[in-house]
Amino acid sequence: MHSLTQWFESVETDRPFETCKACDQLLPLAADSWVVNKHYHRRECILEYAVCEKCRDEVSNRFSEESKARIREFLENEIDWENRIIDWMKLENPAERLDNCVACLTHRSLIDGFTLSAQFRHDGSLVDGALPLMLCSTCTGKVSEQLSPESQKVWLDFVSLNFEGPDSDIIGPGIF
């Protein structure tokens, strides 16, 4: 069984991420916080990265206002945050909050793919709040479908610029 922080270590190194995927700077020096996203398909991590707050903001600020509003709408209307936080507070093992999709509550064992997202402070400690979370591929798809063509291109450009191999159209932006 994974601890909560182990879920957000690199599968390639079995260690916490050290550099921002976009700017290659050491994470503690790049910004006050960073986000780790890991995309899984059939239990295999197919894409993982840490991106500093500065680079995340640079990319997300290129999303259209319409797309940002639709993402906010999904996060506000499709996720019962009050009950999720209450549920998470009751957990004996904090890693169990990643067992179910934060939006539709489908258990991880019943889905083909999912995205894990977490935020870390400059000292490497996990920020506990709305993140960390797990979003199933169906719900990630709902978010991706709402993105404008311009915003979809921003995401595709980020993936093609920073990664080799994965098909960016099967990997939604998660909680960028």
Side-chain angles (χ1 to χ4, degrees):
M1 183 185 308
H2 286 92
S3 73
L4 189 55
T5 55
Q6 283 175 313
W7 273 108
F8 297 98
E9 293 178 352
S10 170
V11 295
E12 292 181 14
T13 65
D14 289 325
R15 297 175 41 99
F17 288 87
E18 295 179 356
T19 58
C20 173
K21 188 65 176 178
C23 69
D24 285 328
Q25 287 195 21
L26 290 173
L27 290 166
L29 303 176
D32 289 336
S33 68
W34 63 87
V35 171
V36 171
N37 283 322
K38 295 176 72 172
H39 302 266
Y40 285 81
H41 184 69
R42 296 194 178 117
R43 313 287 173 255
E44 179 184 354
C45 184
I46 58 172
L47 182 74
E48 64 174 9
Y49 60 92
V51 64
C52 71
E53 182 178 27
K54 179 178 168 261
C55 291
R56 183 196 65 206
D57 289 349
E58 285 177 9
V59 172
S60 61
N61 285 338
R62 295 192 343 241
F63 281 20
S64 70
E65 291 305 315
E66 175 187 10
S67 292
K68 288 188 239 182
R70 288 181 173 171
I71 292 169
R72 267 192 309 277
E73 185 177 310
F74 177 88
L75 294 172
E76 292 170 2
N77 298 325
E78 298 295 321
I79 301 171
D80 183 351
W81 288 110
E82 185 175 331
N83 281 326
R84 288 303 78 69
I85 299 294
I86 290 169
D87 291 345
W88 291 341
M89 289 171 54
K90 295 177 186 174
L91 295 175
E92 199 169 303
N93 176 359
E96 291 175 5
R97 72 188 288 169
L98 304 176
D99 286 350
N100 298 80
C101 175
V102 70
C104 70
L105 303 180
T106 302
H107 194 272
R108 190 174 60 241
S109 65
L110 302 175
I111 55 181
D112 275 342
F114 58 92
T115 298
L116 300 177
S117 297
Q119 184 176 16
F120 292 84
R121 292 179 191 86
H122 71 289
D123 65 358
S125 62
L126 189 66
V127 175
D128 190 19
L131 298 179
L133 60 76
M134 186 269 278
L135 196 63
C136 74
S137 55
T138 300
C139 291
T140 301
K142 288 179 183 178
V143 174
S144 296
E145 289 170 2
Q146 297 295 315
L147 297 180
S148 68
E150 301 84 19
S151 298
Q152 289 177 6
K153 183 172 179 351
V154 169
W155 171 247
L156 295 174
D157 288 349
F158 173 81
V159 172
S160 65
L161 182 65
N162 292 289
F163 300 96
E164 292 180 21
D167 205 4
S168 55
D169 62 346
I170 65 167
I171 303 167
I175 306 299
F176 201 86

